[in-house]
């Protein structure tokens, strides 16, 4: 029998408010075995991250643990040592944090101090729990970065240096250059690394003292699918090599299938279902679990819309004030789009004149030298040509840095093109002056990736949605504008009376709906959706994707949908364009790109899609 490492019993966490305290975690129980990966799954607000922070003693004020036990078992030569972490004094608990139980936080860029180098912060973590000198800490830091595959191994560095030099180097010269390259990485700052690299630095810090338990809180959220796959591979490898137990916190059951042994599903502060991965996927019992499984896009099927949590369960107020969950029958499951229907739609779209035609578009960014002079140009978009038809959704997919966002913004001239033509509805946008371009933007809108950053926190959402109307229709009476805003909010699934609230009073999915309403305010014909669902829960993501599809049908909208997630792009797109290093790898119908990819890069993106599959939906 595997030995228990962590035993959580009746854990309750509440947050004090001016009115009634909020029960964030409401009496949960679970056990973690040695070498086991436990997946803690649920939507935002379900209590996952609060549970993780309570285990490690990092609950933010005014949160506090009101009851329960968090028993940690540490094997010794005699017998397992049982410690209730909640009963330890702060100083003793600090000794366990990092050395015995470590955590990878959700936002790596926010977790690292931008003022200090990555090497300094890793060395600091090592010396906090180990009595070692700075040179030894530096040696261990390099070894850790090599273990998480952020610095190449000595043999790989040796091979690189040998290939770069025409003449053979003496052994001491070769070793000196190897050491210099390893030390150089320690001097990098967080802003000099990509998202995947920063996440590896966080993993290195977390495992620096060889903890028995590693808590990974959404470690792959908003990462490219290829980077996500490498992070999951790395965590599996570390678990096997070090014998660590892992609590993997996420909202995505597709990712859980890739790494977890057992799953605990959380909803409104409670664990509603537990079981092995096979049991949860093949025979889910709770309607909430069934909804989470079904709402993720399924690349193998072409559905008219995505199921949501509300298709499987309803929440009704109980007599004591606590919500009552009621399962729904699943008669209203989505119809599947047949190959013939897809072909007929694509043929009808392509019989129209193109709404947007891009011809040999180039966007180059200057690279400055030490004294501010331009030393070279970086090609972000390099000789790209394509066209989009009225009423079509063109999916634009690729890894971070491939040029997707730059291409999208250059189409609206938010980034000025270096060369090429952008023909929209017969008009060359690259030749327009500032005034005429502003007029043209009435038909060209964009939904940005981060809805919170897209909205001015000082403006109510009503004022934010009304702002483009005031700019382009300055003589329209205020009452008429207010009625238009109320109608827009209701169209995107919000209530008209919400227009007086501010962005911080809404959830992520609601804020994204506000951004969609703002984009629709001027009745545009063409909208660019730039990673507009990448950081949302899968259930909220499904709602927003369904909304975008419904609005397209209602208003005959044309989309370019930008994302790094090919499964999402496959669901919503008619055609898919794959970008890599500023160029188009291939462009074809969504089904053809997924079923018969022509380029190795596209095959790599498809292979990186999490293989976790929901239970089969009834055929229709």
């Amino acid at each position: 029998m595997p030995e228990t490492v962590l035993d959580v019993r009746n854990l309750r966490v509440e947050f004090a408010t001016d009115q009634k305290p909020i029960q964030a975690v409401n009496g949960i129980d679970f056990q973690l075995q040695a070498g086991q990966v436990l997946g803690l799954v649920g939507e935002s607000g379900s209590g996952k991250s609060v549970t993780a922070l309570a285990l490690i003693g990092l609950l933010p004020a005014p949160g506090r643990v009101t009851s329960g036990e968090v028993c940690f078992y540490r094997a010794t030569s005699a017998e397992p040592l049982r410690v209730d972490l909640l009963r330890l004094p702060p100083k003793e608990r600090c000794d366990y944090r990092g050395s015995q139980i470590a955590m990878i936080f959700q936002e790596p860029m926010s977790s690292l101090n931008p003022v200090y180098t990555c090497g300094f912060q890793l060395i600091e973590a090592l010396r906090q729990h180990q009595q070692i000198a700075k040179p030894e800490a530096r040696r261990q830091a390099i070894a850790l970065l090599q273990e998480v595959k952020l610095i190449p191994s000595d043999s790989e560095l040796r091979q690189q240096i040998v290939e770069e030099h025409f003449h053979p180097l003496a052994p001491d010269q070769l070793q000196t250059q190897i050491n210099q390259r390893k030390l150089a990485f320690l001097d990098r700052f967080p802003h000099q690394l990509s998202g995947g690299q920063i996440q590896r630095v966080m993993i290195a810090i977390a495992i620096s003292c060889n903890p028995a338990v590693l808590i990974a809180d959404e470690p792959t959220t908003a990462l490219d699918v290829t980077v996500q796959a490498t992070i999951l591979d790395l965590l599996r490898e570390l678990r096997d090599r070090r014998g660590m137990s892992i609590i993997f916190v996420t909202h995505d059951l597709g990712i859980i299938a890739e790494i977890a042994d057992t799953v605990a599903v959380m909803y409104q502060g409670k664990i509603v279902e537990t079981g092995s991965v096979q049991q949860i996927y093949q025979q889910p019992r709770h309607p909430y679990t069934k909804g989470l499984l079904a709402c993720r896009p399924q690349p193998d099927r072409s559905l008219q819309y995505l199921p949501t949590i509300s298709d499987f369960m309803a929440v009704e107020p109980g007599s004591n004030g606590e919500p009552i969950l009621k399962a729904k029958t699943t008669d209203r499951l989505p119809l599947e789009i047949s190959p013939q229907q897809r072909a007929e739609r694509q043929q009808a779209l392509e019989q129209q004149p193109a709404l947007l035609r891009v011809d040999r578009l180039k966007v180059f960014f200057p690279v400055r030298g030490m004294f501010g002079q331009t030393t070279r140009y970086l090609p972000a978009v390099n000789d790209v040509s394509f066209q989009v038809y009225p009423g079509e959704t063109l999916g634009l997919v690729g890894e971070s840095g491939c040029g997707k966002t730059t291409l999208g913004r250059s189409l609206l001239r938010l980034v000025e093109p270096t060369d090429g033509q952008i023909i929209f509805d017969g008009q060359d946008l690259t030749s327009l002056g500032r005034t005429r371009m502003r007029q043209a933007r009435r038909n060209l809108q964009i939904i940005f990736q981060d809805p919170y950053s897209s909205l001015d926190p000082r403006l109510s959402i009503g004022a934010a949605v009304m702002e483009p109307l005031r700019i382009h229709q300055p003589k329209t009476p205020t009452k008429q504008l207010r009625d238009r805003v109320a109608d827009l909010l209701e169209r995107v699934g919000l209530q008209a009376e919400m227009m007086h609230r501010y962005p911080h009073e809404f959830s992520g999915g609601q804020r994204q709906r506000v951004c969609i309403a703002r984009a629709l305010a001027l009745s545009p014909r063409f909208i660019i959706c730039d990673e507009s669902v990448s950081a949302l829960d899968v259930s909220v993501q499904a709602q927003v994707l369904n909304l975008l599809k419904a609005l397209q049908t209602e208003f005959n909208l044309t989309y370019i949908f930008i994302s790094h997630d090919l499964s999402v792009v496959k669901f919503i797109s008619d055609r898919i364009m794959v970008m890599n290093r500023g160029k188009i790898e291939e462009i074809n119908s969504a089904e053809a790109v997924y079923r018969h990819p022509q380029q190795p890069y596209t095959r790599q993106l498809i292979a990186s899609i999490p293989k976790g599959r929901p239970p089969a939906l009834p055929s229709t």
Side-chain angles (χ1 to χ4, degrees):
M1 290 290 291
E3 62 181 18
T4 300
V5 178
L6 200 66
D7 187 4
V8 178
R9 301 178 185 175
N10 194 34
L11 181 64
R12 296 178 184 272
V13 179
E14 71 175 30
F15 285 80
T17 65
D18 293 337
Q19 289 81 35
K20 183 181 177 181
I22 297 173
Q23 291 288 335
V25 179
N26 195 357
I28 65 170
D29 304 271
F30 64 87
Q31 287 187 334
L32 182 67
Q33 310 298 331
Q36 180 190 45
V37 178
L38 170 67
L40 201 57
V41 186
E43 299 173 281
S44 294
S46 62
K48 311 183 305 295
S49 294
V50 172
T51 298
L53 293 171
L55 298 181
I56 205 169
L58 291 177
L59 270 177
R64 65 187 185 94
V65 177
T66 56
S67 68
E69 295 180 345
V70 178
C71 297
F72 176 75
Y73 294 84
R74 176 86 174 155
T76 63
S77 57
E79 59 182 9
L81 177 64
R82 179 181 181 276
V83 178
D84 185 354
L85 298 178
L86 299 181
R87 304 293 180 266
L88 291 177
K91 188 176 184 308
E92 289 185 34
R93 192 166 188 181
C94 188
D95 293 337
Y96 278 86
R97 187 188 306 129
S99 62
Q100 302 297 333
I101 303 179
M103 187 166 180
I104 305 168
F105 295 95
Q106 181 172 354
E107 293 288 344
M109 183 62 82
S110 303
S111 303
L112 292 175
N113 192 323
V115 176
Y116 296 106
T117 64
C118 296
F120 175 88
Q121 296 178 73
L122 180 51
I123 290 170
E124 181 185 40
L126 284 163
R127 299 189 71 190
Q128 175 71 25
H129 296 283
Q130 301 181 45
Q131 301 299 321
I132 55 175
K134 199 168 185 178
E136 174 61 18
R138 189 179 296 110
R139 187 195 65 78
Q140 290 189 26
I142 292 171
L144 283 164
L145 293 176
Q146 287 181 320
E147 186 175 6
V148 299
K149 300 177 182 177
L150 199 51
I151 296 178
S153 64
D154 284 10
S155 59
E156 291 172 326
L157 285 172
R158 184 177 291 106
Q159 183 65 28
Q160 290 177 10
I161 294 169
V162 168
E163 291 176 354
E164 290 171 6
H165 287 78
F166 295 104
H167 304 289
L169 297 174
D172 57 338
Q173 293 178 315
L174 186 58
Q175 189 59 47
T176 298
Q177 290 207 20
I178 291 173
N179 293 338
Q180 286 175 347
R181 294 199 180 188
K182 291 191 293 187
L183 289 170
F185 197 93
L186 296 181
D187 293 332
R188 292 192 186 182
F189 288 87
H191 71 272
Q192 296 175 301
L193 305 181
S194 68
Q197 289 176 319
I198 295 174
Q199 197 64 284
R200 288 172 185 265
V201 173
M202 288 299 302
I203 294 172
I205 292 174
I207 67 172
S208 61
C209 297
N210 198 26
V213 176
L214 178 65
I215 301 173
D217 185 11
E218 299 275 12
T220 60
T221 297
L223 294 180
D224 295 338
V225 286
T226 50
V227 178
Q228 172 182 283
T230 60
I231 295 296
L232 293 177
D233 288 339
L234 174 61
L235 289 174
R236 278 193 294 264
E237 186 180 331
L238 291 171
R239 173 201 61 189
D240 297 337
R241 186 189 312 133
R242 291 173 170 251
M244 287 190 308
S245 303
I246 299 177
I247 298 176
F248 194 98
V249 180
T250 184
H251 61 262
D252 192 342
L253 272 165
I255 294 175
I256 282 296
E258 299 286 298
I259 191 170
D261 302 306
T262 59
V263 180
V265 182
M266 288 194 72
Y267 178 72
Q268 293 189 348
K270 296 182 179 180
I271 293 179
V272 296
E273 184 168 1
T274 58
S276 67
V277 170
Q278 293 77 12
Q279 176 187 331
I280 293 294
Y281 271 82
Q282 295 171 10
Q283 296 177 327
R285 300 183 303 274
H286 199 277
Y288 180 69
T289 310
K290 295 176 183 178
L292 280 181
L293 284 165
C295 64
R296 182 173 175 80
Q298 305 174 39
D300 294 333
R301 301 183 67 182
S302 296
L303 302 177
Q304 289 184 351
Y305 68 91
L306 291 173
T308 61
I309 300 293
S310 60
D311 293 322
F312 293 84
M313 58 177 275
V315 182
E316 299 178 359
S319 56
N320 59 353
E322 288 201 5
I324 299 175
L325 309 183
K326 289 191 176 181
K328 287 184 178 181
T329 58
T330 53
D331 297 336
R332 188 183 163 268
L333 288 173
L335 296 172
E336 192 161 356
I337 305 171
S338 68
Q340 182 180 356
Q341 289 173 315
R342 290 194 300 269
E344 289 175 354
R345 172 174 167 79
Q346 193 61 42
Q347 184 179 7
L349 289 170
E350 293 181 1
Q351 285 177 347
Q352 309 171 88
L355 178 64
L356 176 73
R357 183 166 58 83
V358 178
D359 187 26
R360 309 202 66 168
L361 185 67
K362 297 179 182 179
V363 180
F364 289 1
F365 291 120
V367 178
R368 307 293 182 186
M370 182 180 299
F371 300 104
Q373 78 281 17
T374 300
T375 58
R376 60 189 177 91
Y377 288 90
L378 179 68
V381 178
N382 195 357
D383 202 23
V384 167
S385 301
F386 63 94
Q387 52 192 12
V388 188
Y389 301 99
E392 181 185 30
T393 299
L394 176 67
L396 182 54
V397 68
E399 297 177 283
S400 294
C402 72
K404 307 187 303 294
T405 295
T406 301
L407 173 59
R409 296 189 179 197
S410 66
L411 298 180
L412 275 64
R413 285 184 56 190
L414 299 177
V415 172
E416 287 295 337
T418 305
D419 195 11
Q421 286 186 312
I422 304 168
I423 310 296
F424 178 79
D425 197 20
Q427 188 177 37
D428 186 359
L429 299 183
T430 57
S431 64
L432 298 183
R434 183 173 180 178
T435 302
R436 292 183 63 195
M437 187 63 215
R438 172 180 283 190
Q439 294 172 351
R441 285 205 183 104
R442 295 185 56 154
N443 286 313
L444 298 156
Q445 292 293 312
I446 185 169
I447 304 169
F448 294 100
Q449 178 175 357
D450 185 355
Y452 194 76
S453 299
S454 306
L455 298 170
D456 190 330
R458 299 169 298 176
L459 294 180
S460 67
I461 64 162
V465 175
M466 194 183 297
E467 187 177 31
L469 294 168
R470 289 192 180 279
I471 292 172
H472 290 276
Q473 302 173 13
K475 296 182 180 180
T476 305
T478 301
K479 184 181 183 305
Q480 191 173 333
L481 293 178
R482 193 178 296 113
D483 291 343
R484 171 67 173 160
V485 171
D487 179 62
L488 286 167
L489 292 178
E490 289 176 352
R491 290 290 183 96
V492 299
L494 299 175
Q495 297 171 0
E497 52 266 26
M498 291 181 174
M499 70 170 66
H500 302 294
R501 298 184 188 177
Y502 288 82
H504 71 273
E505 299 180 80
F506 292 87
S507 67
Q510 289 175 319
R511 283 196 289 265
Q512 196 61 282
R513 289 172 184 265
V514 173
C515 292
I516 294 172
R518 180 184 168 98
L520 291 172
L522 296 171
S523 301
R525 300 173 63 191
F526 178 79
I527 297 178
I528 296 173
C529 305
D530 185 11
E531 296 277 12
S532 52
V533 298
S534 63
L536 300 178
D537 292 341
V538 286
S539 56
V540 179
Q541 180 186 87
Q543 296 171 17
V544 173
L545 290 173
N546 290 340
L547 173 64
L548 289 172
K549 272 203 162 188
L551 292 171
Q552 182 176 46
T553 302
E554 183 178 354
F555 297 106
N556 192 32
L557 296 171
T558 304
Y559 294 141
I560 286 183
F561 191 91
I562 301 172
S563 179
H564 61 261
D565 190 339
L566 195 54
S567 61
V568 171
V569 172
K570 165 72 167 51
F571 164 74
I572 200 169
S573 302
D574 298 297
R575 290 186 300 148
I576 293 178
M577 184 166 71
V578 182
M579 280 193 74
N580 183 25
R581 297 182 179 180
K583 295 188 175 184
I584 297 175
E585 289 279 335
E586 62 181 290
I587 181 170
N588 208 333
S589 69
E591 199 68 22
V593 169
Y594 180 73
R595 301 286 181 186
H596 309 289
Q598 301 299 307
Q599 301 299 323
Y601 179 75
T602 310
R603 290 194 284 270
Q604 180 187 0
L605 289 178
I606 294 171
S608 300
I609 298 174
K611 300 301 184 293
R613 293 288 182 264
L617 296 175
S619 299
T620 52

